[in-house]
Amino acid sequence: RERSDALELRERVRLQTLEGKLLPTLDAWMGRIESVREEREELSRHEAQKPGTERLRELEKAFKAARTALRVAKMRQAAADSEEDDDDESLHGSLQEARRRLQLAERALRKERAELLSVATRHFPEIAALPLLRLAAAENEELR
């Protein structure tokens, strides 16, 4: 009888240890597994090409070139309007094409920025709070 009580006590202690120490630790790890999987998936998308700013720089250059081309097309259109040139249709077409290229360049640039921000905030979540911290600092300065 004493031996069975000792075994029963040992089993209860073992069960309490499992419930008190091991299970909370396992639950914490299980909670992190999903975020680790998401992070691994995010990194696997960039496996062939590590995330960097080279493509962003290229897209910024393309955007600036498209913006310059639009300005040139607008100046040509304005000059043609003042001279009442007959070649108005081709100038209008080139202006529309310049606008379209600028929109495409801006869309690609925004997409790349969002992608880089997504990768950065996944690994450094405090990056997402930086604008709020700057705003709080500015408001704090205004209150002084």
Side-chain angles (χ1 to χ4, degrees), residues 11-141:
E11 289 298 318
R12 274 190 268 147
V13 168
R14 184 179 294 159
L15 184 60
Q16 287 174 347
T17 303
L18 279 172
E19 288 177 348
K21 294 181 181 176
L22 186 59
L23 290 178
T25 304
L26 287 174
D27 285 342
W29 276 103
M30 291 303 289
R32 293 189 66 203
I33 282 178
E34 187 61 33
S35 66
V36 169
R37 283 183 184 149
E38 289 174 6
E39 186 173 342
R40 193 173 107 214
E41 181 183 312
E42 180 76 26
L43 289 173
S44 69
R45 278 193 257 155
H46 300 285
E47 212 169 273
Q49 168 190 343
K50 292 181 182 176
T53 58
E54 295 83 20
R55 175 149 168 75
L56 181 67
R57 300 289 174 234
E58 290 172 9
L59 290 172
E60 283 177 344
K61 286 180 185 177
F63 174 75
K64 289 177 182 177
R67 189 174 56 194
T68 302
L70 179 62
R71 282 190 198 132
V72 169
K74 282 182 177 180
M75 289 188 322
R76 286 183 182 156
Q77 180 76 36
D81 287 346
S82 67
E83 295 175 5
E84 296 181 16
D85 197 3
D86 290 337
D87 199 19
D88 202 27
E89 283 299 318
S90 67
L91 287 175
H92 183 71
S94 66
L95 182 63
Q96 291 298 96
E97 180 64 23
R99 281 188 181 132
R100 189 183 70 76
R101 286 185 182 174
L102 180 63
Q103 289 170 349
L104 290 174
E106 183 178 15
R107 186 178 303 136
L109 182 60
R110 285 179 187 266
K111 183 179 177 187
E112 183 67 18
R113 283 180 179 163
E115 178 124 0
L116 286 176
L117 182 62
S118 169
V119 170
T121 54
R122 180 166 311 281
H123 299 289
F124 304 102
E126 63 273 12
I127 288 175
L130 286 177
L132 295 175
L133 293 173
R134 287 188 192 117
L135 179 63
E139 287 178 353
N140 191 22
E141 287 296 319

